[in-house]
Amino acid sequence: MMAGPGPGPARQPARVPPPHRTGDADTDRAWDADHRSGATTDDRQLVDAVLGGDRDAFRRIVEREGSSVVSACTRVLGDRGEAEDISQEAFVIAYRSLGTWRADGPLGAWIA
């Protein structure tokens, strides 16, 4: 007895359209790219600003992502003080490596 073909191709989830279209092709493409990659336009703008020499932009990244990075480190290390120290190191490394961020996911996840 011959075995039949295996299960068919995996079902692709339905593409969820954006809640609205602006009518501006560039804006709509940016929305699609942001939601497909997980990165946001704000992430890209902040990274571009930092890479352009804007230190205030990096401060905004630290303020925005700091608590989630500390929380992630605390979950791993189990010690809040140690997590705060490691988080500082993570931001120093992120600052030095920011040019390597590919925007294929949220900036905060890349830092953490």
Side-chain angles (χ1 to χ4, degrees), residues 65-84:
E65 305 297 343
S67 64
S68 61
V69 172
V70 170
S71 293
C73 291
T74 301
R75 281 191 302 277
V76 171
L77 300 170
D79 180 297
R80 177 82 179 184
E82 185 71 18
E84 289 172 353

Side-chain angles (χ1 to χ4, degrees), residues 42-103:
D42 190 44
D43 287 344
R44 286 189 188 95
Q45 290 171 339
L46 285 170
V47 168
D48 288 344
V50 172
L51 294 175
D54 182 351
R55 289 179 181 239
D56 189 54
F58 192 73
R59 180 190 55 76
R60 290 193 307 272
I61 291 171
V62 172
E63 288 174 353
R64 187 181 76 181
E65 305 297 343
S67 64
S68 61
V69 172
V70 170
S71 293
C73 291
T74 301
R75 281 191 302 277
V76 171
L77 300 170
D79 180 297
R80 177 82 179 184
E82 185 71 18
E84 289 172 353
D85 290 343
I86 296 300
S87 296
Q88 274 191 328
E89 291 179 34
F91 279 108
V92 169
I93 292 167
Y95 182 79
R96 291 178 181 157
S97 307
L98 206 52
T100 66
W101 179 63
R102 296 183 317 236

